[in-house]
Amino acid sequence: MSTQQSGSTEAPVSIDQAGPTPRSRRGLDVGRWFVPVIGGLAFLYLLVPIAYIFVFSFNDAGRTNLTWRGFTLANWQDPCRPSQLCEAFVNSLNVAVIATVVATVLGTMIAFGLERYRFRFAGSANLLIFLPLATPEVVLGASLLSQFLNLGVQLGMGTTVLSHIMFCISFVVVAIRARIATLDPALEEAAADLYASGRTAFWRVTFPLLIPGIAAAALLSFAISFDDFIVANFNSGAFTTFPQYAYVAARRGIPAEVNVLGSAMFFGAIALVLGVQLWRYWRNRRWATL
Amino acid sequence: MSLKAAEELTTPQEHVDPASIPERSAEEQRTWRTRGRLGMLLVIPGFAFIAIFFVVPVFSMLAMSLYTQPEGAVAGEFVPGFNVATYAQVMSTYGDTFVRSFAFALIATVAALCIGYPMAYLVAVRLRGRPLLQGLLLVVIIAPFFSSFILRVQSWRFILSDESWVVGFLKAISVLPEDGRLTATALAVVAGMTYLYLPLMTLPIYANLERLDTRLIEAGGDLYAGGFQTFLRVTLPLSMPGVMAGTILTFIPASGDYVNAVMLGNNVDTTTVGQIVDSRFFHAADYPSAAALSAVLMGIILILVTLYVRRFGTKEIV
């Protein structure tokens, strides 16, 4: 994802950065206007509904947020006004945090195991990671619910967390394996040349280089878990998550306070990601000028 | 899906070829073996989790699809059995729903490809050497992941509702008839799906195009290929792994989608398989039918994805 450039402190060996290259007029012509116009429209298309969420969080809506009735700050001042809304929000945060921690630990271990050791059943192992990704959420949810019903397990927060860990692990493994595969083996060899034991080389060289990748995988898994509706809908029983609250409320019009919490979450996450991006950009420039 | 294909989809292209690892001395091989045992310890907890909460449930679901309802049982009460008739029954009742679901998913995937590819190309190739702008647009691509998807679908309901300016505008320019509407139509459902899964299409293509060597495009120009021809014969074939990953990542959730169908369609002409699975489970308490529908859905997707990878996969994917 967005973190691919990080971690490499050496100068990027791209012909573009190496200096101006004579461009072939014809070659790079592919829709000189077509690409920016379609691309620009697509970015607008991505952002408009998100802007709607934000704008309607200021709607003086009363109970149902279906039409624009005027500007107010009241929703932002008391976002917990609709009953159960903040409970659902906190439920989702709890589930996402637990699921992310467990999935990141288990997923990182699998990624390392598969990437650095040889197995007799490596092919089956890869398939086992891939299959949950190739299964639509409705099937993941329905199959797990079949299992819980068969065993007579009480549905609730526990079953929700378990289901979320299950589908987050595969995402974590895929994201972190990609990072491990792009690590320069020379760095570990250098550590070995400097008399570092395997363990020291791992904790002092390999692991620190992977921290950005692990953080990105954890962020991805948090986002997926927090936003999951379908799997939770099957496995949560009476326990209600934030997306479930919004879905049920949508039948009669979602309260504007839901938009407040959604927008706050969105801007928090964007601020975090932008901050990291800017910091990385600034750091790369510093490296470049050193 | 072949194992090799799954492996290629889940591992990046720079994967180290095992054959390139140099021969090891006897002593090194001994350490390699002990390290191998450590490797087992690393993967076992995670795989055990996936086995218990994914593999076993899938079999649980297959078993449940064969359950029978005893005479005089209350709703939701079933006993283990081997009732294959459930499959025949759901396929005859919901066959057209399956066709519709996959048609929606296919159209949404193609639409997302047509929008996502130029987006990825713009950021990855056109804006190369402008990391700040690239980073910002990348944040825009992943921004939807940080906002609730139910709320985004709700936004589309606003945008497409009968009173919205979009509908008013389309009526004004006579694209839409005077009594026409956008909500509760198949178009709205497909548009919602396209929007929802667009980042899943764009990101893999971006990750691929980011590594594209632009000198190859220049070489195409030097060999007197036009811009479009260079794209068709150089850029597109090189980006196929990204396109494959993007289309698969979009198609799978789109074919199981039911939130768009409920919130933007909610109409007998837009019912999807996901919607039926949900209602069989929760409203009809007809667990065998719901399980059979899920099993068929999963089976069809696995077959389609395998065929697709076989047919269009580049040499290293198949």
Side-chain angles (χ1 to χ4, degrees):
Chain A
M1 254 215 284
S2 59
T3 49
Q4 267 162 0
Q5 321 90 316
S6 84
S8 64
T9 47
E10 72 268 70
V13 203
S14 161
I15 201 80
D16 294 63
Q17 272 100 344
T21 33
R23 288 179 158 199
S24 155
R25 286 285 148 281
R26 297 163 63 98
L28 283 175
D29 234 356
V30 203
R32 182 161 289 270
W33 296 109
F34 177 76
V35 169
V37 167
I38 297 290
L41 285 175
F43 279 106
L44 207 64
Y45 175 62
L46 270 184
L47 286 178
V48 164
I50 297 174
Y52 255 73
I53 297 174
F54 182 60
V55 169
F56 273 76
S57 74
F58 293 106
N59 189 12
D60 191 4
R63 293 181 68 91
T64 59
N65 196 4
L66 283 172
T67 46
W68 183 254
R69 294 215 192 99
F71 180 87
T72 178
L73 284 174
N75 307 322
W76 281 82
Q77 281 156 357
D78 185 17
C80 287
R81 191 188 52 83
S83 67
Q84 306 294 311
L85 171 57
C86 282
E87 286 87 337
F89 192 77
V90 172
N91 283 348
S92 272
L93 283 179
N94 286 337
V95 169
V97 168
I98 302 172
T100 298
V101 170
V102 179
T104 306
V105 171
L106 292 177
T108 308
M109 284 163 64
I110 292 184
F112 256 102
L114 289 182
E115 203 59 39
R116 285 297 160 88
Y117 301 99
R118 280 194 263 188
F119 293 99
R120 282 172 66 192
F121 304 107
S124 323
N126 286 326
L127 193 64
L128 203 56
I129 296 297
F130 176 73
L131 272 179
L133 295 175
T135 309
E137 285 186 62
V138 66
V139 179
L140 290 179
S143 62
L144 208 47
L145 177 61
S146 308
Q147 163 108 327
F148 289 140
L149 285 174
N150 274 343
L151 298 176
V153 177
Q154 180 73 36
L155 299 179
M157 179 171 172
T159 51
T160 314
V161 170
L162 288 172
S163 65
H164 281 197
I165 295 171
M166 182 266 296
F167 68 76
C168 286
I169 289 180
S170 293
F171 282 101
V172 172
V173 174
V174 171
I176 294 181
R177 280 187 83 171
R179 296 291 305 230
I180 297 176
T182 54
L183 276 186
D184 188 350
L187 294 170
E188 279 180 51
E189 284 159 23
D193 289 347
L194 295 168
Y195 298 103
S197 67
R199 182 175 295 179
T200 315
F202 175 80
W203 288 113
R204 300 280 295 272
V205 177
T206 315
F207 191 71
L209 283 171
L210 283 173
I211 285 176
I214 294 172
L219 187 67
L220 176 70
S221 115
F222 183 89
I224 295 169
S225 165
F226 188 83
D227 199 26
D228 164 71
F229 166 73
I230 296 176
V231 175
N233 191 38
F234 277 93
N235 293 295
S236 68
F239 179 79
T240 305
T241 63
F242 182 63
Q244 282 179 290
Y245 182 95
Y247 182 76
V248 172
R251 291 195 188 141
R252 36 175 216 284
I254 298 178
E257 285 82 357
V258 177
N259 293 36
V260 171
L261 293 179
S263 306
M265 193 75 194
F266 174 75
F267 286 111
I270 291 292
L272 184 75
V273 173
L274 271 183
V276 171
Q277 288 270 4
L278 286 173
W279 173 73
R280 186 178 294 148
Y281 175 69
W282 173 79
R283 192 190 60 176
N284 284 348
R285 282 188 61 145
R286 280 226 323 188
W287 282 114
T289 53
L290 271 175
Chain B
M1 155 127 323
S2 72
L3 298 186
K4 187 80 179 102
E7 183 181 1
E8 283 302 330
L9 279 167
T10 49
T11 51
Q13 279 77 22
E14 300 94 337
H15 197 72
V16 181
D17 181 13
S20 70
I21 297 170
E23 288 289 317
R24 282 160 204 286
S25 68
E27 192 189 346
E28 269 179 328
Q29 271 183 352
R30 210 173 314 121
T31 49
W32 187 251
R33 269 205 304 275
T34 50
R35 292 180 74 196
R37 229 170 277 139
L38 177 62
M40 283 308 249
L41 289 179
L42 282 173
V43 302
I44 280 173
F47 277 124
F49 197 96
I50 296 177
I52 296 169
F53 294 102
F54 173 73
V55 180
V56 177
V58 167
F59 284 103
S60 208
M61 178 182 80
L62 291 174
M64 185 168 262
S65 69
L66 300 170
Y67 277 20
T68 52
Q69 186 154 36
E71 287 291 325
V74 294
E77 188 189 331
F78 295 93
V79 292
F82 198 78
N83 183 17
V84 195
T86 309
Y87 280 90
Q89 186 213 325
V90 297
M91 285 320 286
S92 66
T93 318
Y94 300 114
D96 50 344
T97 312
F98 271 100
V99 173
R100 184 187 302 124
S101 288
F102 285 113
F104 281 2
L106 185 66
I107 299 169
T109 305
V110 172
L113 178 63
C114 294
I115 302 169
Y117 200 104
M119 254 171 118
Y121 189 87
L122 177 69
V123 181
V125 180
R126 283 297 173 81
L127 296 178
R128 218 172 259 194
R130 300 172 75 176
L132 193 60
L133 194 56
Q134 250 185 338
L136 281 175
L137 289 180
L138 209 52
V139 170
V140 174
I141 297 178
I142 58 173
F145 285 120
F146 300 125
S147 82
S148 167
F149 99 93
I150 303 278
L151 286 180
R152 277 181 289 138
V153 179
Q154 177 72 10
S155 291
W156 278 108
R157 256 168 108 181
F158 282 131
I159 296 169
L160 302 177
S161 73
D162 295 342
E163 304 84 40
S164 80
W165 57 270
V166 175
V167 174
F169 175 73
L170 290 178
K171 281 176 181 167
I173 60 168
S174 300
V175 171
L176 209 63
E178 214 27 65
D179 57 345
R181 55 193 312 221
L182 289 176
T183 40
T185 61
L187 182 69
V189 177
V190 173
M193 285 183 187
T194 307
Y195 171 76
L196 208 56
Y197 304 120
L198 184 57
L200 295 175
M201 176 68 82
T202 313
L203 282 173
I205 299 178
Y206 167 81
N208 178 281
L209 286 176
E210 198 199 17
R211 292 194 301 266
L212 179 77
D213 189 344
T214 43
R215 286 175 299 183
L216 294 172
I217 303 180
E218 286 163 19
D222 292 345
L223 294 168
Y224 299 103
F228 184 65
Q229 219 192 347
T230 307
F231 173 77
L232 223 54
R233 312 245 324 236
V234 179
T235 315
L236 188 62
L238 285 172
S239 61
M240 269 316 270
V243 172
M244 298 279 304
T247 43
I248 290 172
L249 284 179
T250 308
F251 182 77
I252 291 167
S255 46
D257 178 273
Y258 70 99
V259 172
N260 284 293
V262 170
M263 292 180 69
L264 296 171
N266 210 9
N267 175 324
V268 282
D269 297 327
T270 62
T271 310
T272 60
V273 175
Q275 226 176 319
I276 306 281
V277 171
D278 181 84
S279 74
R280 288 283 101 191
F281 250 118
F282 295 114
H283 300 297
D286 182 4
Y287 306 136
S289 296
L293 285 164
S294 308
V296 173
L297 181 65
M298 187 179 179
I300 295 179
I301 288 175
L302 287 180
I303 291 169
L304 287 179
V305 169
T306 310
L307 290 177
Y308 177 68
V309 173
R310 286 263 165 84
R311 173 68 184 78
F312 292 104
T314 47
K315 215 169 98 193
E316 59 270 26
I317 284 185
V318 174

